[in-house]
Amino acid sequence: MLGEYDVIVVGAGHAGNEAAAAAANLGSKTLLITMNMEFMGQMSCNPAMGGVAKGQIVREIDALGGYSGIVSDKSTIQFRMLNLSKGPAMWSPRTQNDRKLFTIEWRKMLEQTVNLDFWQDMVVGLIIKDGKISGVKTQMGIEVKSKSVVLTNGTFLNGIIHLGEKQFSGGRAGERAATGITAQLIEMGFESGRMKTGTPPRVDGRSLNFDLMEEQKGDENAQKFSYLTDILPVQKQRSCYITYTSPEVHELLKEGFDRSPMFNGRIQGIGPRYCPSIEDKIERFSERDRHQLFVEPEGWDTVEIYVNGFSTSLPEEVQLKALRQIKGFENVKMFRPGYAIEYDYFPPTQLKHTLETKLFDNLFFAGQINGTTGYEEAACQGLMAGINAHQKISGKEEFILGRDEAYIGVLIDDLITKGTEEPYRMFTSRAEFRLLLRQDNADLRLTEKGYNLGLASQERMDRLVEKNEKRTQLIKYFKTTSIRPETINKGLEKWGSAPLKQSVKLKSVLSRPNITTTKLRKEISFLDEYLTIELNDDVEIIEQAEIEMKYEGYIRKEQEQSIKMKKLENVRLKEGFDYSSLVSLSSEAVEKLNKIKPITLGQAARISGVSPSDISVLLVHLGR
């Protein structure tokens, strides 16, 4: 009835949407199957995109030609660049979004994508023919044939929702769980596990006293995620607010601990370490008498508020009682309580770097099925799985990003090489080369790769070439243009910097601490004129050139380390080799190497339990 497809994507969350868009845009006839087309790209938890390291991922998705950055920009209600007090490697863009508009924009973009069809149904199993994946079976009894399948089931695989002593089947509030696939995958030889995540209560903004909270406004000069010039930054913004729990709140919450599914053993899955529930925070950080809460609007035209930092699965009456002790929440009305959700995942060490499974060709996993948490982590996996599903069935080269090329590369390598037993979240600290992987240069790193694949548009490539030329031109201008003491010394004195005794190049002054291009142009009229006329005040180019000049030495050092790392990455290991035949390896190394089957020596070196002496043994074995 539905015909035959090149790629079938199961699930229309952040991973599924990016996978379907990528495969279709590359030319594969693609089918996206979801249980409810009203919730495509639904923000199941907080209505926000980006944040520390996650914002870098969204920019990388955009640079490659994915959709998440564009959808985020079109539904932004507030923009903030986080960590500006730290070095540029830590700067991370984050948007607060209109939850409903975000879903609408995702659906619009997908419906405008050529080669992409939709089907509303539940996938209950895979079709396997001659040991190969050849399609899916749905709950309606329909069999759809395809050359490859991408599973992006999110929290729906045998999902169980926990609320106090109640528990019921569901993938998220108001939606049923997906059944059938886990049992079949286990039968096929896959190893599975359970994880949990949670969400806070949603409350009525009309019942809150915002005057008692700290207002958190968006950035005055808001930026955006997408590198496309026709996508504009948000023009007006909504404020968020900050308030805190208190010892009284903690005592009230503790009254419900005996009925908490987290403490009485009903939840078996492991929750996210870096986004714990409020009861978990009270238990783990008992010395703290308050925890910060972010009071976030759900959109432009709604009074619904998301209480970020108050994720909980305690009974609803305990939640409400405790909320009313929070400053500004004294008369709060709750729209719906917080809850925890437990679901199946498949340890990602069972995958290749393309996100194709090792056990079955043309079967790909992306998103929370791989043990990750967060929209951004899911979206980038979906993008990579969609690209590689297309590449595989088209007989083209696989597409893999290195740890020195993208946070996406770090994330996938971490999952494949180290695995995860708790929901994996990306942080800047996970990247060895974070000064190379800044949010401002994602297009310089990745757009040409996306263009060569056929995913990034000509418009993106033209913009990249222009930006690169102007950036190079600006750096050259700073390195070759001199500045005299009488022109700049008044400014230097004002900024607490030593005066010049003789003329120096502009770059020399810019390299000083606390000196920026913005400050310099106010004092140097010819610089201001140059930036206005030659660069049209392009903030992105000016900022990027400044970072590269100020951190030139550090960037060069990371580039040199990256080259050294690549030498190990270029040493390939024999496929299917039995490491137990190398008697000099430690028993833990033998076990881990045989399980993960690393492709390169570099990957082997990153497996926990494989020591430097084990790597030396492998080098000797390889005759190096």
Side-chain angles (χ1 to χ4, degrees):
M1 186 182 90
L2 287 169
E4 191 167 331
Y5 287 86
D6 296 318
V7 180
I8 291 176
V9 179
V10 180
H14 301 259
N17 288 356
E18 287 289 4
N25 281 326
L26 287 171
S28 283
K29 188 183 177 190
T30 306
L31 177 67
L32 178 59
I33 305 181
T34 175
M35 291 196 287
N36 192 336
M37 286 182 65
E38 299 301 312
F39 298 129
M40 292 162 71
Q42 173 81 337
M43 292 178 136
S44 308
C45 202
N46 60 323
M49 286 292 281
V52 178
K54 292 165 172 276
Q56 283 86 326
I57 289 175
V58 178
R59 296 213 96 188
E60 289 175 355
I61 291 169
D62 185 76
L64 285 165
Y67 287 176
S68 288
I70 298 168
V71 171
S72 299
D73 289 338
K74 286 184 172 182
S75 58
T76 294
I77 63 173
Q78 187 194 86
F79 180 94
R80 290 181 69 227
M81 186 68 77
L82 307 183
N83 287 337
L84 282 175
S85 61
K86 299 178 182 175
M90 307 290 283
W91 299 353
S92 305
R94 182 183 189 271
T95 57
Q96 200 67 37
N97 296 83
D98 184 309
R99 185 189 298 278
K100 199 172 279 185
L101 187 56
F102 187 89
T103 307
I104 290 167
E105 291 296 341
W106 249 123
R107 182 158 173 176
K108 266 191 209 168
M109 290 202 70
L110 290 171
E111 288 182 352
Q112 288 162 17
T113 301
V114 180
N115 296 323
L116 182 57
D117 292 343
F118 307 93
W119 184 252
Q120 182 169 295
D121 202 346
M122 183 201 289
V123 170
V124 294
L126 301 165
I127 301 169
I128 302 163
K129 195 174 180 184
D130 301 325
K132 289 184 178 178
I133 299 298
S134 61
V136 300
K137 293 178 267 193
T138 77
Q139 192 179 44
M140 289 185 193
I142 296 167
E143 292 195 353
V144 193
K145 299 281 178 64
S146 70
K147 294 172 186 172
S148 64
V149 173
V150 183
L151 293 181
T152 71
N153 304 77
T155 59
F156 283 76
L157 289 179
N158 291 328
I160 294 176
I161 291 173
H162 296 268
L163 178 57
E165 293 170 298
K166 306 164 192 166
Q167 58 176 236
F168 40 93
S169 173
R172 62 182 162 226
E175 294 180 72
R176 59 191 172 152
T179 55
I181 292 178
T182 295
Q184 186 186 10
L185 289 174
I186 291 170
E187 201 178 295
M188 289 161 65
F190 287 96
E191 177 193 340
S192 76
R194 294 286 276 177
M195 280 190 179
K196 84 123 186 146
T197 188
T199 192
R202 297 344 186 240
V203 301
D204 188 339
R206 297 168 299 182
S207 65
L208 302 182
N209 185 349
F210 293 103
D211 293 337
L212 299 179
M213 305 178 205
E214 300 168 26
E215 187 176 10
Q216 188 181 54
K217 293 185 175 182
D219 289 352
E220 200 171 318
N221 297 309
Q223 297 180 45
K224 60 194 178 85
F225 282 119
S226 183
Y227 290 98
L228 289 174
T229 50
D230 61 337
I231 304 294
L232 301 173
V234 62
Q235 298 303 301
K236 59 171 186 167
Q237 302 187 61
R238 279 199 71 174
S239 290
C240 295
Y241 293 84
I242 296 171
T243 186
Y244 300 87
T245 61
S246 64
E248 293 74 29
V249 173
H250 297 176
E251 287 307 312
L252 282 169
L253 289 168
K254 282 178 186 175
E255 288 178 17
F257 277 14
D258 60 327
R259 291 183 286 157
S260 164
M262 202 180 80
F263 294 134
N264 61 24
R266 275 202 302 279
I267 291 180
Q268 301 299 316
I270 299 169
R273 178 192 300 260
Y274 303 104
C275 188
S277 63
I278 189 66
E279 52 265 43
D280 199 13
K281 283 192 263 194
I282 292 168
E283 187 80 0
R284 275 165 52 187
F285 309 108
S286 53
E287 74 285 356
R288 294 181 61 175
D289 59 6
R290 71 175 195 170
H291 293 285
Q292 194 174 49
L293 302 176
F294 294 92
V295 183
E296 301 174 344
E298 294 261 341
W300 290 115
D301 305 313
T302 177
V303 296
E304 191 171 351
I305 297 289
Y306 180 90
V307 191
N308 194 342
F310 204 87
S311 174
T312 180
S313 56
L314 289 167
E316 57 268 44
E317 67 275 11
V318 175
Q319 294 184 34
L320 184 58
K321 205 173 170 184
L323 280 171
R324 285 183 173 162
Q325 289 298 313
I326 294 168
K327 193 179 273 192
F329 279 66
E330 293 80 3
N331 300 306
V332 69
K333 292 178 181 177
M334 198 157 64
F335 281 163
R336 57 187 167 111
Y339 60 87
I341 180 162
E342 203 176 3
Y343 56 92
D344 294 332
Y345 86 105
F346 291 81
T349 50
Q350 301 171 100
L351 303 175
K352 301 172 186 175
H353 275 83
T354 57
L355 298 180
E356 184 182 27
T357 66
K358 292 174 182 174
L359 285 177
F360 283 83
D361 280 1
N362 301 332
L363 176 62
F364 296 78
F365 291 174
Q368 283 177 289
I369 192 172
N370 291 336
T372 58
T373 180
Y375 310 142
E376 304 82 1
E377 289 89 343
C380 74
Q381 290 174 72
L383 178 74
M384 296 299 282
I387 290 170
N388 280 306
H390 168 82
Q391 296 293 98
K392 180 76 185 279
I393 60 173
S394 307
K396 294 180 180 176
E397 193 179 346
E398 59 190 21
F399 183 67
I400 296 170
L401 293 170
R403 296 181 72 90
D404 60 333
E405 293 178 308
Y407 272 96
I408 297 172
V410 174
L411 180 143
I412 291 175
D413 185 64
D414 276 356
L415 292 175
I416 305 315
T417 305
K418 300 172 184 174
T420 187
E421 292 178 354
E422 60 185 44
Y424 177 100
R425 178 189 169 163
M426 180 49 76
F427 287 102
T428 51
S429 58
R430 295 193 191 272
E432 306 93 315
F433 307 112
R434 56 181 175 270
L435 197 49
L436 301 181
L437 308 182
R438 306 184 312 274
Q439 57 82 30
D440 63 276
N441 70 356
D443 56 341
L444 292 176
R445 291 184 276 120
L446 300 173
T447 291
E448 190 172 357
K449 291 177 185 292
Y451 177 75
N452 291 337
L453 276 170
L455 197 57
S457 64
Q458 184 67 51
E459 181 192 350
R460 286 185 182 277
M461 196 60 201
D462 292 344
R463 164 68 177 152
L464 174 68
V465 170
E466 182 193 9
K467 180 182 175 182
N468 211 6
E469 284 172 358
K470 288 186 174 178
R471 177 186 63 93
T472 306
Q473 176 189 325
L474 180 56
I475 292 171
K476 186 181 176 184
Y477 180 82
F478 267 82
K479 286 183 175 180
T480 56
T481 306
S482 296
I483 181 76
R484 294 160 61 154
E486 59 266 31
T487 309
I488 194 63
N489 276 351
K490 274 188 183 176
L492 292 174
E493 189 182 337
K494 186 167 55 182
W495 306 322
S497 193
L500 296 182
K501 292 179 180 172
Q502 59 187 36
S503 293
V504 298
K505 301 300 181 196
L506 271 175
K507 181 185 177 293
S508 174
V509 181
L510 181 66
S511 297
R512 293 184 178 193
N514 304 319
I515 305 294
T516 64
T517 309
T518 305
K519 285 179 177 177
L520 290 177
R521 69 187 300 179
K522 285 177 183 173
E523 301 290 324
I524 307 168
S525 56
F526 64 81
L527 174 62
D528 184 60
E529 191 178 314
Y530 179 85
L531 296 174
T532 305
I533 296 168
E534 297 297 324
L535 291 175
N536 198 26
D537 279 329
D538 192 316
V539 178
E540 215 171 82
I541 294 170
I542 295 167
E543 181 186 88
Q544 192 170 83
E546 180 180 312
I547 290 168
E548 291 194 15
M549 286 186 278
K550 283 180 92 70
Y551 295 88
E552 188 176 31
Y554 297 103
I555 290 170
R556 192 185 303 117
K557 201 172 283 184
E558 282 201 1
Q559 285 168 337
E560 287 166 2
Q561 289 170 346
S562 159
I563 291 164
K564 284 179 187 173
M565 185 187 82
K566 275 184 175 163
K567 287 179 182 175
L568 286 180
E569 295 300 331
N570 291 334
V571 180
R572 293 189 75 84
L573 298 170
K574 193 176 175 185
E575 205 173 321
F577 181 74
D578 181 7
Y579 291 94
S580 55
S581 64
L582 299 180
V583 290
S584 301
L585 285 175
S586 68
S587 55
E588 185 179 2
V590 169
E591 183 191 329
K592 295 283 180 69
L593 291 166
N594 278 331
K595 182 181 179 183
I596 292 167
K597 298 180 177 63
I599 293 168
T600 68
L601 197 61
Q603 187 191 355
R606 291 189 295 275
I607 298 171
S608 68
V610 176
S611 68
S613 62
D614 293 317
I615 295 301
S616 298
V617 171
L618 292 175
L619 279 166
V620 171
H621 169 69
L622 292 163
R624 302 261 176 157

